[in-house]
Amino acid sequence: MLAARFSSSTKLVAFTMRTFADPDGTRVRPTIARLCVLTDLSYATVRRARQELLRAGLLQLAKRGNRRKHEADEYRLILADDIFDRLKWLTPSEINNATQEINEQRQAAEAARRRPKDQGSPVNPETDQESAAAPEPPIRAHTRPASGVASEPPPTQLDHPTTRTNPAVGTTTHHTRASSNDELPSIDLTADETELNADEIRHRVDALKAQDDVRFSNTRRAARKALGLGQGVTTSPRHREALNRAIYRAYRTEEVTSNAS
């Protein structure tokens, strides 16, 4: 069975149906819906796989179920006499060659991963000259998005401490420039989310993301899970608005709890 040239979904359905069989291979009667749940395959894929097992001579219909009583068909596991003629099989040499090829590819990938980074591609003098002569890119001016909150600090806004000397006292003091998140304007979280329209909610959520991307990502992940949206791209406007409102509500709840404490 493993050496047969079946698709992976057909083999999965075959082994799942085998778990329902009695020791003699009879009384196999799971519904297609149950097989979909157990194999995580679609309804059409499971039905197509079962038909393929019937044609191959590995499955036989023993009794058709009563549709009015919602009874499933009953099958039994068989091995047709001409099963070797019905199916295409991998020969032992094909299995060995394919196994060896996979092992070689895996070893090559491991060797490439362990290779030191300083053993990069050979030096090309022409390429080095071109890269050395290439002009430096111009310094990009700091811009502010439509939401009114800076997406990143300006080029002069650094996070390292600076040293200043007070001439009147003769002492040296150290001043640390505030990070970009400290200098961002505060977000108004006093309004209840039911009082705001979709655009107002969206602007506030964009501003919250600009303040702390890590916290925003964690809050967005929790909101997606609570709404059952998963981690994919949300394209529906209704889902996007619901997600934005859930994020704003989570931030506002944290703000109210923090103020109360």
Side-chain angles (χ1 to χ4, degrees):
M1 175 65 185
L2 290 176
R5 290 186 177 274
F6 277 137
S7 63
S8 57
S9 57
T10 301
K11 290 183 179 180
L12 179 59
V13 171
F15 282 105
T16 305
M17 294 187 69
R18 182 178 178 274
T19 61
F20 289 90
D22 287 348
D24 58 352
T26 59
R27 295 172 58 82
V28 183
R29 49 187 182 185
T31 62
I32 295 181
R34 185 176 295 274
L35 291 174
C36 291
V37 175
L38 296 176
T39 60
D40 200 18
L41 298 174
S42 66
Y43 194 94
T45 301
V46 172
R47 182 169 56 183
R48 185 167 54 251
R50 193 177 65 178
Q51 292 297 327
E52 189 173 358
L53 294 173
L54 289 170
R55 291 193 300 268
L58 294 172
L59 199 64
Q60 185 180 50
L61 179 63
K63 184 176 67 175
R64 191 168 296 278
N66 191 333
R67 296 293 182 270
R68 294 182 179 179
K69 297 181 180 180
H70 303 286
E71 294 179 351
D73 297 338
E74 183 177 324
Y75 297 88
R76 65 172 180 170
L77 305 178
I78 63 171
L79 284 176
D81 296 335
D82 58 344
I83 189 172
F84 290 100
D85 297 331
R86 295 188 182 188
L87 297 176
K88 294 182 179 180
W89 303 82
L90 289 171
T91 62
S93 60
E94 291 176 338
I95 296 176
N96 293 335
N97 293 336
T99 303
Q100 183 178 359
E101 183 179 355
I102 293 175
N103 289 333
E104 291 176 354
Q105 292 176 355
R106 179 60 181 173
Q107 292 174 0
E110 288 290 336
R113 183 177 63 85
R114 295 175 181 175
R115 185 178 299 120
K117 294 183 178 180
D118 55 357
Q119 296 181 1
S121 57
V123 178
N124 188 343
E126 297 180 358
T127 305
D128 292 344
Q129 292 177 1
E130 292 178 359
S131 60
E136 295 184 358
I139 299 177
R140 179 172 55 85
H142 179 60
T143 58
R144 193 175 290 270
S147 60
V149 180
S151 58
E152 61 183 75
T156 58
Q157 184 174 323
L158 305 177
D159 294 332
H160 59 77
T162 59
T163 303
R164 296 180 182 177
T165 303
N166 189 338
V169 184
T171 58
T172 302
T173 57
H174 298 273
H175 302 275
T176 302
R177 187 182 296 274
S179 62
S180 59
N181 292 339
D182 296 334
E183 295 183 358
L184 289 173
S186 60
I187 309 303
D188 182 15
L189 298 176
T190 58
D192 187 82
E193 49 119 354
T194 58
E195 303 173 357
L196 304 174
N197 57 34
D199 291 335
E200 292 172 336
I201 287 287
R202 179 170 55 83
H203 287 315
R204 282 171 169 77
V205 169
D206 290 342
L208 291 170
K209 180 180 180 182
Q211 276 193 334
D212 191 338
D213 189 59
V214 175
R215 178 187 176 189
F216 180 84
S217 298
N218 295 333
T219 306
R220 179 185 175 90
R221 189 180 302 109
R224 277 184 171 276
K225 185 177 181 181
L227 296 175
L229 297 179
Q231 299 302 324
V233 178
T234 305
T235 57
S236 171
R238 180 171 59 87
H239 288 169
R240 283 199 300 268
E241 181 180 354
L243 180 59
N244 287 338
R245 290 187 178 276
I247 294 172
Y248 176 81
R249 186 165 55 250
Y251 271 90
R252 186 170 183 272
T253 303
E254 294 179 7
E255 183 76 12
V256 173
T257 304
S258 176
N259 294 336
S261 60

